[in-house]
Amino acid sequence: MNIQDAYEANFYREILKQRRSWYLVACILFVVSGLSRQPLPLQAGVFTLVIAIVPDLYFRYALRHLLVRQRVDRKKLFLGEQVTLTMSIENRKWLPLPWVQMDNTISPPLVILKKVETRLQAVPRETFTSSWLLWSYQRVTQRFTMSAYVRGCHIFGPLKLRCSDPLGWLERELLLPASEEVVVYPLIAPLESLGLPSKFLMGDYIGPRQLLEDPLWFAGIRAYQPGDDLRRIDWKATARTGELCSRIYESTTRRQLLLLLDTRAYSPQLQGPDSALQEFCISMAASLAMWGLEEGYKVGLLANCALATPSHALSSVVNTDQEGDAETTDMSNAVDYSVPGVSVPFGLNYEQAEDLLTMLACLTPDQHMPMEYVLENGYEMFARGTTILLISATQTLSEDTLELLQEQQRHECAVHLVLVGEPEERRELPGIEDFSCYYPGGKEKWHEVTHAINDAQGTLVGRSAVHLQLD
């Protein structure tokens, strides 16, 4: 028993001691009734004894033999979708409970569509309260519908039970480590809605193109076609044949797309991290990852921030008879943070998509490290022929990062940059002209996309009608 448990035990013991005077008054009334042979002192003694016994009985046994459950209908969902939380409490004893109140905490909070609140107490946004009347051996169930508009790992619990006697004199509470988890994926939107434009040097759109063409696996020569990038032209073959010739590249399942996610973003107005740009970068990485998998790339991820995971094993069913440590129960919704620097190995299947989205959902962008350290430590991900796509805020892109990416270019990796931020924040860094850069926009663009999600009451589909040419 820790200090907190000992303090609560002493506190409840003092409350019961203060009520001993009721028993003394009842005994005195019984003696007076016996000596005077009058019924009125006897009735008063019985009434006093009931007032003494009933609150004590509920104070001691009301919160015993209760089984509490909470479950969600979906463990993982996309931004804008709804989740239903089912909460039930079962009274496994003969003593009925006229009033039981349960407070449930959601961390971080969700938008509760149907919420039961008491009239006398303002419930915080991340907490909702339920009240029940439980008869002997009865189970009651309530359901709450919530909308997920915040990316992350959301933990329901711990639960705080309050119970009172029928007279409302004594109230007791109990903290239960009944917890449940919901992972909300980042926003996955069509690429053009995120501000990535199509890029064609001439002519109209002709035939299907890949999102990212990798020019490293040479397969042969063909006649030039309108819309081919000038960098695809083989000038030696053109001089030999007398007509324009373009290189073609071997189609292989070994194509690899490595996403480099830099979550550093600073707001001079807020004098701190810019959460809107951070979420924009994470959403961009998720959308490009899903696109790459659909296009047949093996997609991997390197991020320079930390990962948040629950620090305790979560249990959705709790029996109030089980003794638990109060400190552990109070920390049942706590999370642990990994060392900054998260990686997801390359893969091309349904499990890879789930791993990438789950990892991106649980990122903590405020805890980060310089992107240069990630590039230096993740050298095993930079295999020859890998297509590298850096997603970063414009203001945080550094010369050291560009130098390391230039080194990967010399090792036959195709490197492209997606820089999020306002146009006035763009900087002319040395060597940036060596890369294909895309500027999708800043906070205004991000608010436009999120408002579209809210208005549509659901998530956008991670596909696009536009094919980007990034070779």
Side-chain angles (χ1 to χ4, degrees), residues 417-431:
L417 309 180
V418 176
L419 302 178
V420 175
E422 306 302 330
E424 60 270 14
E425 296 176 347
R426 300 177 186 176
R427 297 176 297 161
E428 293 298 331
L429 297 175

Side-chain angles (χ1 to χ4, degrees), residues 255-373:
R255 296 179 301 168
Q256 295 188 145
L257 172 62
L258 176 60
L259 299 175
L260 301 178
L261 176 59
D262 188 352
T263 61
R264 296 175 299 172
Y266 179 79
S267 173
Q269 293 79 12
L270 301 176
Q271 295 296 314
D274 194 325
S275 58
L277 289 184
Q278 289 174 338
E279 293 301 320
F280 196 1
C281 290
I282 294 175
S283 174
M284 187 73 69
S287 301
L288 288 170
M290 296 303 101
W291 181 281
L293 292 174
E294 292 175 357
E295 293 295 318
Y297 282 86
K298 290 184 177 180
V299 181
L301 173 69
L302 285 177
N304 67 332
C305 55
L307 188 69
T309 55
S311 58
H312 296 80
L314 303 181
S315 175
S316 59
V317 181
V318 175
N319 193 324
T320 58
D321 294 332
Q322 299 174 351
E323 293 291 336
D325 185 88
E327 182 177 357
T328 303
T329 302
D330 190 42
M331 297 295 294
S332 60
N333 63 343
V335 295
D336 290 332
Y337 298 97
S338 68
V339 177
V342 176
S343 65
V344 179
F346 290 102
L348 178 60
N349 48 33
Y350 174 78
E351 288 77 12
Q352 181 70 3
E354 185 176 0
D355 292 343
L356 287 168
L357 291 178
T358 302
M359 195 71 67
L360 290 169
C362 298
L363 291 181
T364 305
D366 291 342
Q367 300 186 20
H368 51 251
M369 64 190 304
M371 197 65 199
E372 299 81 54
Y373 295 163

Side-chain angles (χ1 to χ4, degrees), residues 133-251:
L133 166 63
L134 285 173
W135 299 105
S136 303
Y137 301 99
Q138 183 189 18
R139 181 175 63 186
V140 294
T141 301
Q142 288 188 356
R143 292 176 176 85
F144 300 87
T145 302
M146 285 155 279
S147 292
Y149 291 115
V150 179
R151 175 196 62 86
C153 177
H154 303 265
I155 300 179
F156 298 85
L159 302 178
K160 180 181 289 186
L161 283 181
R162 292 189 181 92
C163 188
S164 177
D165 57 90
L167 303 176
W169 284 15
L170 292 182
E171 181 179 316
R172 190 166 185 174
E173 65 180 33
L174 180 64
L175 197 63
L176 301 177
S179 301
E180 188 68 304
E181 177 187 9
V182 168
V183 175
V184 179
Y185 292 147
L187 171 65
I188 304 174
L191 298 184
E192 63 269 21
S193 68
L194 293 176
L196 291 179
S198 60
K199 179 182 179 182
F200 301 106
L201 296 182
M202 62 178 62
D204 297 328
Y205 175 85
I206 300 177
R209 292 181 181 266
Q210 298 173 353
L211 167 67
L212 302 171
E213 292 187 354
D214 200 328
L216 300 176
W217 285 291
F218 177 75
I221 299 294
R222 62 167 171 79
Y224 174 82
Q225 296 179 359
D228 285 348
D229 195 308
L230 294 179
R231 287 171 289 184
R232 297 173 63 101
I233 298 178
D234 192 317
W235 296 108
K236 291 183 179 180
T238 299
R240 186 174 60 253
T241 60
E243 59 182 18
L244 286 176
C245 296
S246 296
R247 300 186 187 94
I248 58 176
Y249 305 106
E250 181 181 0
S251 177

Side-chain angles (χ1 to χ4, degrees), residues 21-22 103 106 117 170 186 191-192 208 347 436:
S21 58
W22 288 95
D103 296 336
I106 311 174
E117 297 183 355
L170 292 182
L191 298 184
E192 63 269 21
S436 299

Side-chain angles (χ1 to χ4, degrees), residues 68-138:
V68 180
R69 300 181 180 90
Q70 66 167 343
R71 284 191 176 91
V72 291
D73 59 343
R74 303 172 62 186
K75 293 285 189 178
K76 298 178 180 180
L77 58 155
F78 291 92
L79 203 73
E81 294 183 333
Q82 294 183 356
V83 61
T84 300
L85 174 67
T86 302
M87 300 177 57
S88 66
I89 180 170
E90 183 178 351
N91 186 15
R92 295 185 168 185
K93 59 181 180 295
W94 62 268
L95 185 67
L97 304 178
W99 179 77
V100 179
Q101 178 177 297
M102 181 185 298
D103 296 336
N104 197 349
T105 303
I106 311 174
S107 177
L110 294 174
V111 178
I112 303 173
L113 304 181
K114 297 178 181 179
K115 180 167 66 172
V116 178
E117 297 183 355
T118 59
R119 296 182 178 179
L120 301 179
Q121 181 181 7
V123 181
R125 178 169 173 247
E126 68 274 5
T127 304
F128 60 97
T129 303
S130 307
S131 299
W132 287 286
L133 166 63
L134 285 173
W135 299 105
S136 303
Y137 301 99
Q138 183 189 18

